[in-house]
Amino acid sequence: KKSSYMFVTGPDVVKTVTNEVVSAEQLGGANTHTKKSSVADCAFENDVEALSEVRRLIDFLPLNNRERPPVRPFFDETGRIEKSLDTLIPDNANKPYDMKELIFKTADEADFYEIQAEFAKNIVIGFIRLEGRTVGVVANQPMVLAGCLDIDSSRKAARFVRFCDAFEIPLLTLVDVPGFLPGTSQEYGGVIKHGAKLLFAYGEATVPKVTIITRKAYGGAYDVMSSKHLRGDFNYAWPTAEIAVMGAKGATEIIHRADLDQAEKIAQYTKDYEDRFANPFIAAERGFIDEIIQPHSTRKRVCRAFASLRNKKLKNPWKKHDNIPL
């Protein structure tokens, strides 16, 4: 921080060519690259902290792409019950909560190494250990933009998923996503193509994939977040999960457009839609969810799922290279 810079052309060249006056820090400092451009994954105060954190990161990774990630001794109970998770989801569906709390309470010894913490904060990525084994985590963050997916978060998560797949690191996906972020800036920026990067990354990944839906999982964003349709191995849902094409109010206004002027009827239709779809049981009936689990047993169920997938072998059809939507 405040001492390192990266840029293709420096401030002097920028001034000469475009007449923009910009400092080296603004143009290519640590803040710029960790918060805006995502060129850098993390920034640190000094060399000592940087080296310490790099050592911690490498401790999670295998020696190369043919080796398995290292297994470390762990001192946490596999079947640990976390009663506090039963009250993590607020009663009001529009209230946020911190998804990192679930990550910390699921991981061995609450150890979570977050990557790109300052960029696209509506999605959280990083490494944890379960039973001493490295697992990559991708999680929506309801505290930022209600956990919506957008261009930046899709790119951030897609690259991480592909990294984990390249080094045989299993993937845990925690889902609370109300959809893709709407707006002209997103559409003009190509959110369809960037969202497809994440879809492609999950579909292509052959590592063990375990997904937990905690609350909202709507529309295309539900599909993209390691759903059963993208070869998810175990897809669990909490009882608070809502899996549908869209929220009850929006869906009702489209289905019953003819009755929009009758508030009572619309309210009744909305309630009927909520009763029918604002729960994970319909999705479970159709096989899109393997099991509905209690929040307090999340760690136990996830550990058991990954243990059963340790010898998973899956190969994609041979090709020279894939054609990810760039």
Side-chain angles (χ1 to χ4, degrees):
K1 289 180 181 176
K2 296 180 182 173
S3 66
S4 59
Y5 313 104
M6 288 190 287
F7 25 64
V8 177
T9 51
D12 296 337
V13 177
V14 170
K15 187 179 179 185
T16 304
V17 176
T18 68
N19 289 324
E20 285 179 273
V21 178
V22 64
S23 69
E25 182 65 36
Q26 288 173 310
L27 184 62
N31 265 350
T32 299
H33 287 312
T34 53
K35 293 181 180 177
K36 294 178 183 174
S37 71
S38 82
V39 169
D41 293 303
C42 304
F44 307 105
E45 294 294 338
N46 52 57
D47 297 356
V48 175
E49 188 188 350
L51 288 169
S52 168
E53 288 299 303
V54 167
R55 283 179 178 176
R56 191 172 155 225
L57 170 64
I58 288 173
D59 212 30
F60 282 97
L61 305 179
L63 294 173
N64 56 60
N65 67 330
R66 291 174 183 266
E67 297 277 338
R68 288 287 180 124
V71 181
R72 302 288 180 223
F74 67 102
F75 308 95
D76 205 343
E77 198 181 327
T78 302
R80 171 165 48 80
I81 299 297
E82 278 289 348
K83 285 291 183 186
S84 60
L85 290 179
D86 290 338
T87 54
L88 178 65
I89 308 292
D91 292 334
N92 183 342
N94 295 320
K95 274 194 174 176
Y97 61 94
D98 192 356
M99 187 65 89
K100 287 184 191 176
E101 186 178 337
L102 173 57
I103 298 172
F104 285 125
K105 288 178 177 175
T106 303
D108 288 355
E109 288 95 31
D111 183 25
F112 173 48
Y113 188 95
E114 189 173 358
I115 310 285
Q116 289 193 332
E118 296 298 319
F119 177 70
K121 292 184 178 182
N122 45 329
I123 207 157
V124 176
I125 59 172
F127 297 107
I128 62 170
R129 288 193 183 87
L130 293 171
E131 297 187 283
R133 297 168 188 269
T134 303
V135 172
V137 177
V138 179
N140 303 114
Q141 176 55 289
M143 301 283 283
V144 183
L145 294 175
C148 275
L149 282 173
D150 61 0
I151 291 170
D152 288 344
S153 60
S154 297
R155 284 196 301 114
K156 171 181 170 179
R159 178 173 169 77
F160 183 73
V161 168
R162 282 170 69 85
F163 178 89
C164 289
D165 189 45
F167 290 97
E168 285 295 320
I169 296 170
L171 285 161
L172 172 63
T173 309
L174 306 174
V175 183
D176 183 354
V177 63
F180 280 93
L181 186 67
T184 54
S185 64
Q186 290 292 307
E187 297 298 348
Y188 296 165
V191 68
I192 294 173
K193 182 176 271 192
H194 292 291
K197 289 177 182 175
L198 185 52
L199 183 87
F200 189 101
Y202 269 122
E204 175 195 43
T206 59
V207 294
K209 291 180 279 193
V210 176
T211 305
I212 295 176
I213 299 171
T214 60
R215 189 165 63 176
K216 295 173 183 172
Y218 289 159
Y222 149 70
D223 280 319
V224 164
M225 293 296 293
S226 194
S227 62
K228 206 71 179 167
H229 321 285
L230 293 179
R231 303 192 298 182
D233 294 302
F234 286 95
N235 290 67
Y236 295 129
W238 286 5
T240 46
E242 302 172 21
I243 302 155
V245 172
M246 60 199 302
K249 190 171 183 296
T252 304
E253 287 174 358
I254 290 171
I255 297 166
H256 302 285
R257 194 174 292 160
D259 297 324
L260 276 179
D261 54 337
Q262 300 178 49
E264 285 180 16
K265 269 192 174 182
I266 289 294
Q268 184 57 44
Y269 289 141
T270 303
K271 187 179 181 305
D272 292 344
Y273 190 95
E274 281 175 348
D275 291 344
R276 192 164 172 212
F277 294 114
N279 63 67
F281 299 103
I282 301 293
E285 279 177 21
R286 296 181 180 178
F288 303 146
I289 296 296
D290 291 305
E291 204 169 343
I292 294 149
I293 64 172
Q294 290 299 325
H296 62 250
S297 65
T298 298
R299 174 177 161 83
K300 182 171 87 173
R301 301 308 295 270
V302 168
C303 285
R304 189 185 296 172
F306 279 120
S308 70
L309 293 167
R310 270 176 207 155
N311 297 319
K312 176 186 175 182
K313 285 200 169 27
L314 178 64
K315 281 194 175 180
N316 289 331
W318 184 90
K319 52 188 174 294
K320 185 178 178 185
H321 59 74
D322 53 51
N323 192 17
I324 189 168
L326 293 171

